[in-house]
Amino acid sequence: MVKLVAIVGATGLQGGSVLETLHARGKYRLRALTRNPDSKHVASLKAKYPGVEWVHADLDDTASLGKAFQGADIVFGVTQFFQKDIMERVEQGDEDAEFNQGKNIIDAAIAAGVDSIVLSSIDSMKQLSHGKYTGVLHFEGKHKVEEYLTSQLDRVKGYFIYLGFYMENFVDFSRISPEDNKTIEFTVPLKPTTKLPLVDTANDTGPVVAYILEHPEECLGTVVEASGGYYEAQDMAKAFTEVTGKPARYVQIPYDSVGSDELSQMFQGQDEFGYYGGRTDFIERNKEINHTFTTPISFWRSRGWAGPSP
């Protein structure tokens, strides 16, 4: 019997990558969840991925999630802290806004009789830093969802994927140098030599989820990191020049210049304690995945991005 996979956030980077990979593999029936199945973007995805069932679901509405999960064997679950409604709730004092959405996914999946949940999560910075950095809410919320799913493993099988540091962040943290109006500067509040497990979210997420689904006994209840390995933060600037021929440099900016205590704590924690806490065992294991992970060089080559607008 062909299993049905319900994909939360199918129009986003992570869910979209899962959709693309599983559709290409042709081993599963796919149900894509979105808040707006009638949007133009979904219309384009329907044309791109024929045979996929598109349904409405809202992570704040457990009834819609329950309906969307009916008959599904597997759920890919992901939450997004940096969206307007979640941010507004956090600003109003609801630090569990993201957690509550993740809990809704789990509760609805269990109620619908889903067999397995593959959850996108991340380490707790509070735990990695031994209590020094407690305010990285978009880490803590996801990890709290993971802990909740772990508490429900007698009712549903749980699998966990941890994405590395998004390479696309370097696009967001870029500018034209004010010194020469020519050099592209990647301005990031991290030491240039800080090692990051980089990931191209749109390219690398799906193959890791596919690996989990194809190796359920091996991956059950464990974390599978999505990254091909560690690179220095400054390597993204060097790779950009190598690919484009354009002058670029890495510029370390102050932690507090990001305008958010949460992000400031995140970058400080990554400088001091490492992303993934410095774990390296995943590098060898990920060589078993039938996928070539994105490198800084291949990211810029495939991105086709020439730099920020003047």
Side-chain angles (χ1 to χ4, degrees), residues 160-195:
F160 307 98
I161 176 174
Y162 282 16
L163 267 70
F165 189 94
Y166 288 16
M167 292 188 189
E168 49 265 37
N169 286 342
F170 285 86
V171 175
D172 297 330
F173 285 108
S174 67
R175 69 184 183 191
I176 302 295
S177 172
E179 297 178 7
D180 62 11
N181 293 315
K182 178 182 178 183
T183 301
I184 295 169
E185 294 181 339
F186 294 95
T187 56
V188 184
L190 287 170
K191 297 174 183 177
T193 55
T194 290
K195 298 236 176 135

Side-chain angles (χ1 to χ4, degrees), residues 124-140:
S124 160
M125 183 56 73
K126 179 180 179 180
Q127 293 178 14
L128 286 182
S129 67
H130 312 292
K132 184 174 182 178
Y133 298 112
T134 62
V136 188
L137 299 183
H138 69 289
F139 279 30
E140 301 309 321

